[in-house]
Amino acid sequence: MPSTSSIAETDARPEAEILDLGRLGYREAHAFQLDRVVRRQRGECGDAIVMVEHPHVITVGRSRAALANVLAPGDVEVIEVERGGDVTYH
């Protein structure tokens, strides 16, 4: 016998606010996102999809050797971040 579930029951999607921050520096965008996580954990805001563009940047994770892997960044800003891992070009 076929299922009698309604579309609402089988196609439920969580609500998410779409936030377009435009163009921001990496540090500003990162700080916004960290603050948003804290506010979300406190229940002060809902889920969100954050859209942001920032200038080219290289982020360096907590790995001890990560910074040594940044060989010639030129005029690209290098920023140490709290995440694990190595080097990421954005």
Side-chain angles (χ1 to χ4, degrees):
M1 177 171 229
S3 173
T4 58
S5 297
S6 72
I7 291 177
E9 292 174 331
T10 60
D11 198 31
R13 292 187 176 94
E15 295 285 324
E17 182 180 10
I18 297 175
L19 302 173
D20 185 350
L21 304 182
R23 187 171 171 87
L24 283 180
Y26 180 87
R27 291 177 197 273
E28 292 83 9
H30 189 233
F32 174 86
Q33 290 177 73
L34 292 176
D35 179 65
R36 180 74 186 206
V37 168
V38 170
R39 292 179 48 229
R40 178 66 181 99
Q41 290 169 336
R42 291 181 184 152
E44 297 171 2
C45 62
D47 293 336
I49 297 170
V50 178
M51 297 185 299
V52 63
E53 178 184 359
H54 55 75
H56 300 280
V57 66
I58 296 171
T59 58
V60 180
R62 293 180 293 188
S63 170
R64 272 185 70 187
L67 196 53
N69 291 328
V70 180
L71 302 178
D75 62 351
V76 177
E77 186 176 16
V78 177
I79 300 174
E80 293 186 42
V81 294
E82 78 288 344
R83 66 165 173 71
D86 208 321
V87 176
T88 305
Y89 172 77
H90 301 256

